[in-house]
Amino acid sequence: MKKFVGKGVYGAVAAGKATVLMRYENAVKRISIEDTGRERARVTAAIEDAKKKLQDMYERALGELGESDAQIFAVHRMLLEDAVYRDSIDSVIESQRVNAEYAVTAAGESLAESFAAMDDAYMRERAADVRDVSQRLTACLAGETDREGVTEEGGILCADDLPPSVIMNLDKKKTAALVTAQGSLISHAAILARSRSIPAVVGVGEEFLAQIMDGDEIMVDSFAGEVFLEPDAETRKALSEKQRAAEEERHLLQSLRGRENISLDGRKINICANIGSVEELEAVHASDAGGIGLFRSECLYLGKSDYPTEEQQFTAYKKLLEGMAGKKVIIRTLDIGADKQPDYFELKREENPALGCRAIRICLTRPEIFKTQLRALFRASAYGNMGIMFPMITSVAEVEKILEICSEVKAELKAQGVSYSENVELGIMIETPAAVVISDRLAPMVDFFSVGTNDLTQYTLACDRQNPDIEPFVDIHHEAILRLIEMSAESAHRHGAWIGICGELAADISLTETFLRMGIDELSVSPAFVLKVRDVVRSLDLSR
Ligand code: PEP
Ligand code: MG
């Protein structure tokens, strides 16, 4: 047995066979080949394999999301059948006498570049599709796991790192757990795994990948952040016991369903859920959350090869609002950039992407994207109780501009006779020290604040949230963070706004009392933590 230690993301125990997903860049080597016929035959087989997978995905998406979302998989399938694409791969194999993986990548890249150079914007965006299809084909050639997840029922996906798009697309039924060599507790990959209640251990180190082979038996203890390769009988027993105790606790918490979030001395607080997809509504209902405190709308943009249309977004937001039947749904506008980089956005490479063009900065510099999203949001607002919030705010001018654009969008809808709700609450995320310092100026402009502690921690402590090496310097309970939250609460309340916390710290039960004493009005946590936080609130007596 071998043990590896990282950070546990969502408390659970899982056992299964490892499926090792190497990084795409690592998989493509240029190898000189004698038997080019064999390489071409491998391409033929991989194309058939990829087509089958795309057909499955098409059918799954058709059932879950509808024809327009499913269409992309049909388009990718057609590209695999395209004679020009196929000929260009064969020609690289024959002319350079190289392996199929390299030929697929090289031919795909040159085709993508020619699309990217076209005048027509629609054709230019097809470059991302070509790259996506080539990557899929390379993965099939390497006999890798499907990029959308593990192929074996109950497998444990092991990787160097996983982009948020892969986590969002994972088939939960097939994925018992995730283990990554890289990653930190507040990286988006970890947060999305937690939000989807997928047990995960991140940051176990490169040594893990060097030791693990596809098919190895592993056990994951995401309470302790431990991973066991070929676990012995004693470890198996101890972990099964841990799992049993956790299940018992979860079962006991079920008795709190339908109960109020009220402390012993009568202080009430809202407890809401954070999610990133419409499919997670089921988990929200199971958690008995009072609403959705954070819908990460950028998840609708991840794992796609083109911008979601206004209609696609409208359908998703409407489903959310209808699904929550009058309970509040707060949708955070597009927070793309930094670690979330869909190809089709064609974001410039930046030295420090977390300090670069991300979140609201993209929306304000590319207003056509922002307006499309706002139109979809306001249209959907007619179907329930919606709040909209804006990420990564640093200035009064940004909020003024946002409010101006919202008014423009509403005026356009009105002129077109399209209905929307006049009661949409508008809020901003408090994620930068600048926003806290000027919170007394920002609070009168909005209905609410929502503290994003993940970014607030990153920007206050000057610690990149993606970098596991600096975790010793990340004190999530740092006095500075707590003081900043308290200052924000004071500003909000002084100006008639309410304040919630939707970063990961909201689920930290060692701080629940502190937050209640600060007067925080709402905590929004991953669905799996709602009842746990309710339990703690109900045990507190703030009069003492
Ligand atoms: C945060 O920063 O705390 C937050 C909730 O937003 P995200 O984690 O998506 O950046
Ligand atoms: Mg954030």
Side-chain angles (χ1 to χ4, degrees), residues 188 296 332 335 340 358 391-392 429 431 452-456 465:
H188 281 102
R296 289 185 162 93
R332 190 256 304 272
D335 184 0
K340 292 179 261 184
R358 76 167 274 217
M392 213 192 162
M429 292 195 68
E431 306 191 277
T453 52
N454 310 329
D455 278 315
L456 188 60
R465 63 192 273 190

Side-chain angles (χ1 to χ4, degrees), residues 522-534:
E522 178 174 301
L523 294 172
S524 194
V525 299
S526 299
F529 293 92
V530 170
L531 290 175
K532 181 79 200 151
V533 179
R534 177 176 296 169

Side-chain angles (χ1 to χ4, degrees), residues 253-272:
L253 285 175
Q254 289 300 311
S255 65
L256 294 178
R257 289 178 56 83
R259 302 285 183 88
E260 279 188 302
N261 310 309
I262 185 166
S263 66
L264 293 171
D265 57 315
R267 165 96 164 85
K268 288 189 192 165
I269 189 165
N270 290 333
I271 304 181
C272 292

Side-chain angles (χ1 to χ4, degrees), residues 513-528:
E513 177 169 356
T514 308
F515 293 149
L516 282 174
R517 288 191 189 278
M518 285 179 187
I520 297 298
D521 303 291
E522 178 174 301
L523 294 172
S524 194
V525 299
S526 299

